[in-house]
């Protein structure tokens, strides 16, 4: 068993299940971010949701963890679990990890879901800001940061239980793990060229009120992908899968049915 990843792995009782679904969480969250989707879709297909290296119950790697290391971890976990082909979904940083996964083992991916994410490389200012934030988290811990960004991660009008879940994930994250991924993410490549070569169906989802990755970013992603659908979730910000789970699950379910029916 890979020693660096904790994970959820649920399969339906029926042998006639749909394509497996792999869910990659964002920063600074953990696999419980996907609880509504695991509950919804594991009745009809195998669903795997790992805690990325440094998050949730997975051990911390101090220093710097690039997106490529996260992608390698995902591949090794799926090899261990015997998941050969699957639909891959990622949100925010998880979406960028999903793009990295497609670059490395895209022949295993039957459908790609990119939620509240973007493909551009980091700007020089962004590099400075991510490294400065990493320094701050190591010095101060996660709570102050979590308090500051909560009303951007989810909309200010989000339900109290959703806010509590998101805040709890952020404050439970190890500062060393969050900082290591921030430093690695600052060095991410440009994925825009990769998107034009994606040969499988793709779904792009974004919260209508997302200020981290606004609708314009999602529209750019959808234009770059040869076979894509764009869905804007009203009444949600950066985490529409938690803020509006019924709406998110509906569009994801429609996409999964399409992939299941493809040759």
């Amino acid at each position: 068993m890979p020693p660096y990843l904790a994970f959820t792995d649920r399969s339906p009782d029926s042998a006639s299940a749909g394509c497996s679904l792999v869910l990659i969480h964002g920063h600074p969250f953990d696999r419980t971010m996907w609880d509504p989707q695991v509950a919804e879709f594991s009745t009809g297909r195998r669903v795997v949701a790992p805690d990325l290296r440094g998050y949730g119950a997975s051990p911390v790697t101090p220093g710097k963890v690039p997106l490529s290391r996260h992608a390698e971890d995902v591949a090794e976990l799926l090899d261990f679990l015997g998941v050969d082909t699957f639909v891959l979904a990622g949100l925010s940083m998880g979406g960028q990890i999903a793009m990295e996964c497609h670059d490395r083992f895209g022949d295993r991916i039957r459908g790609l879901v990119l939620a509240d994410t973007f493909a551009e490389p980091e700007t020089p200012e962004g590099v400075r800001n991510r490294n400065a934030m990493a320094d701050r988290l190591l010095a101060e811990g996660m709570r102050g940061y979590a308090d500051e960004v909560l009303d951007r991660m989810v909309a200010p009008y989000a339900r109290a239980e959703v806010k509590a879940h998101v805040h709890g994930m952020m404050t439970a994250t190890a500062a060393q793990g969050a900082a290591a991924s921030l430093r690695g993410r600052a060095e991410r490549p440009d994925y825009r060229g990769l998107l034009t070569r994606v040969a499988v169906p793709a779904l792009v989802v974004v919260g209508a009120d997302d200020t981290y990755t606004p609708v314009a970013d999602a529209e750019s992603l959808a234009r770059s992908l040869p076979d894509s659908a764009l869905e804007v979730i009203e009444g949600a910000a950066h985490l529409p899968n938690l803020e509006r789970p019924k709406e998110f699950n509906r569009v994801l379910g429609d996409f999964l049915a399409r992939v299941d029916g493809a040759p």
Side-chain angles (χ1 to χ4, degrees), residues 1-9 22-25 29-32 34 47-60 70 73-74 76-78 80-81:
M1 174 178 172
Y4 39 79
L5 281 180
F7 56 90
T8 296
D9 178 18
V22 179
L23 301 166
I24 309 299
H25 68 76
F29 309 124
D30 57 52
R31 69 186 188 268
T32 68
W34 295 110
V47 180
V48 176
D51 279 337
L52 296 171
R53 183 184 294 250
Y55 298 88
S58 289
V60 170
H70 286 305
D73 289 345
V74 171
E76 291 178 26
L77 174 63
L78 296 177
F80 169 76
L81 295 175

Side-chain angles (χ1 to χ4, degrees), residues 127-149:
V127 171
R128 291 191 294 272
N129 288 343
R130 289 196 190 278
N131 282 300
M133 180 58 71
D135 291 340
R136 176 189 167 186
L137 296 182
L138 291 174
E140 300 178 6
M142 297 296 294
R143 181 164 295 276
Y145 168 78
D147 292 345
E148 288 174 17
V149 303

Side-chain angles (χ1 to χ4, degrees), residues 27 53-55 59-62 65 70 138 173-182:
H27 163 90
R53 183 184 294 250
Y55 298 88
V60 170
T61 298
V65 177
H70 286 305
L138 291 174
T173 295
Q176 279 191 318
S181 283
L182 280 170

Side-chain angles (χ1 to χ4, degrees), residues 16-221:
S16 58
C19 184
S20 296
L21 174 63
V22 179
L23 301 166
I24 309 299
H25 68 76
H27 163 90
F29 309 124
D30 57 52
R31 69 186 188 268
T32 68
M33 188 196 89
W34 295 110
D35 280 353
Q37 288 67 53
V38 173
E40 175 74 13
F41 295 109
S42 61
T43 60
R45 67 189 67 246
R46 188 177 190 180
V47 180
V48 176
D51 279 337
L52 296 171
R53 183 184 294 250
Y55 298 88
S58 289
V60 170
T61 298
K64 178 168 59 181
V65 177
L67 298 185
S68 58
R69 179 66 261 183
H70 286 305
E72 290 166 10
D73 289 345
V74 171
E76 291 178 26
L77 174 63
L78 296 177
D79 288 344
F80 169 76
L81 295 175
V83 180
D84 295 324
T85 61
F86 46 88
V87 171
L88 181 62
L91 185 146
S92 193
M93 181 181 76
Q96 293 168 340
I97 294 169
M99 292 182 239
E100 182 71 28
C101 288
H102 191 281
D103 191 39
R104 291 170 174 268
F105 47 93
D107 57 324
R108 299 173 63 177
I109 298 173
R110 290 185 54 191
L112 185 64
V113 182
L114 301 175
D116 300 83
T117 192
F118 59 97
E120 290 82 358
E122 195 59 89
T123 64
E125 180 183 8
V127 171
R128 291 191 294 272
N129 288 343
R130 289 196 190 278
N131 282 300
M133 180 58 71
D135 291 340
R136 176 189 167 186
L137 296 182
L138 291 174
E140 300 178 6
M142 297 296 294
R143 181 164 295 276
Y145 168 78
D147 292 345
E148 288 174 17
V149 303
L150 179 60
D151 281 345
R152 290 187 69 190
M153 292 296 187
V154 296
Y157 50 78
R159 299 188 309 278
E161 62 269 26
V162 173
K163 288 188 175 185
H165 182 190
V166 173
H167 192 268
M169 286 190 292
M170 290 193 287
T171 54
T173 295
Q176 279 191 318
S181 283
L182 280 170
R183 297 193 198 282
R185 194 179 180 193
E187 298 178 0
R188 69 181 181 275
D190 188 343
Y191 293 114
R192 289 174 291 185
L194 165 71
L195 295 179
T196 66
R197 303 190 300 274
V198 173
V200 296
L203 173 64
V204 179
V205 188
V206 66
D209 294 333
D210 190 347
T211 58
Y212 282 119
T213 53
V215 173
D217 287 352
E219 292 171 339
S220 178
L221 283 178

